Amino acid sequence: IGGCESGFADCNGVVADGCEVDLSSDLANCGACNNQCAMIANGTPKCSGFVCGIATCNMGFDDCFGGAADGCETNLTNDVAHCGTCGNVCPAVPFGSKACVASTCTIGMCGPNHQDCNNNVMDGCETDTTADVAHCGMCNNACPNPPNATGTCAGSTCGLGACDAGFANCNGMAGDGCEFNTQNDPN
């Protein structure tokens, strides 16, 4: 073979098949004979324009840093800086930590004495379970209103609040509320 057209080469040295390799797209001979494109982490290699690169990334992965050397390095299913897509940073979570689960930004953990009782990622761990009468100690644990009184939540424990006008808690027990009517009880 006297010479090959531009972009083609006789890599196997067999005259019969001529200049058999397209150096612009052959994975085993990319840009030059025997220049094998390396395997791509979490993806598939390609040879395009005489240069090795990334053809596709496996599902759930992407090349967020741009380059074949580290392949499809980003796991989009659990990376809080690239959640679901490159550059999608999960927002801060009030009173908790952020997480990326199944390519969706969510709450990782809530801080002490806080929980996400409304299941809304945007307001984070919004409930202070030490003082919320609707969520005392844990979500959906509502403190009851004892007889003739208002229920309270203090230190994550339900208790007896202020007595209704004209009533008193004379026995000191929270369970029966404000049991005495001070307007008509002779004692």
Side-chain angles (χ1 to χ4, degrees), residues 25-124:
S25 61
D26 191 302
L27 284 174
N29 304 284
C30 189
C33 288
N34 301 316
N35 184 33
Q36 175 84 32
C37 290
M39 295 302 298
I40 298 294
N42 305 308
T44 307
K46 74 174 179 179
C47 176
S48 178
F50 306 97
V51 178
C52 291
I54 299 172
T56 58
C57 291
N58 295 346
M59 182 179 273
F61 289 88
D62 206 342
D63 178 26
C64 294
F65 301 118
D70 59 356
C72 301
E73 78 291 330
T74 305
N75 186 337
L76 302 175
T77 65
N78 63 12
D79 189 326
V80 294
H82 307 281
C83 191
T85 185
C86 291
N88 184 36
V89 179
C90 292
V93 173
F95 305 107
S97 63
K98 60 186 172 181
C100 177
V101 177
S103 299
T104 303
C105 290
T106 188
I107 296 171
M109 282 182 51
C110 288
N113 304 317
H114 281 84
Q115 291 194 6
D116 176 26
C117 294
N118 66 1
N119 294 317
N120 182 349
V121 175
M122 299 309 292
D123 62 3

Side-chain angles (χ1 to χ4, degrees), residues 100-175:
C100 177
V101 177
S103 299
T104 303
C105 290
T106 188
I107 296 171
M109 282 182 51
C110 288
N113 304 317
H114 281 84
Q115 291 194 6
D116 176 26
C117 294
N118 66 1
N119 294 317
N120 182 349
V121 175
M122 299 309 292
D123 62 3
C125 303
E126 81 291 340
T127 304
D128 178 355
T129 57
T130 63
D132 190 319
V133 294
H135 308 285
C136 192
M138 67 179 129
C139 291
N140 303 316
N141 185 38
C143 294
N145 284 328
N148 308 309
T150 303
T152 63
C153 178
S156 299
T157 304
C158 290
L160 177 66
C163 291
D164 292 346
F167 289 88
N169 180 15
C170 296
N171 67 3
M173 297 174 59

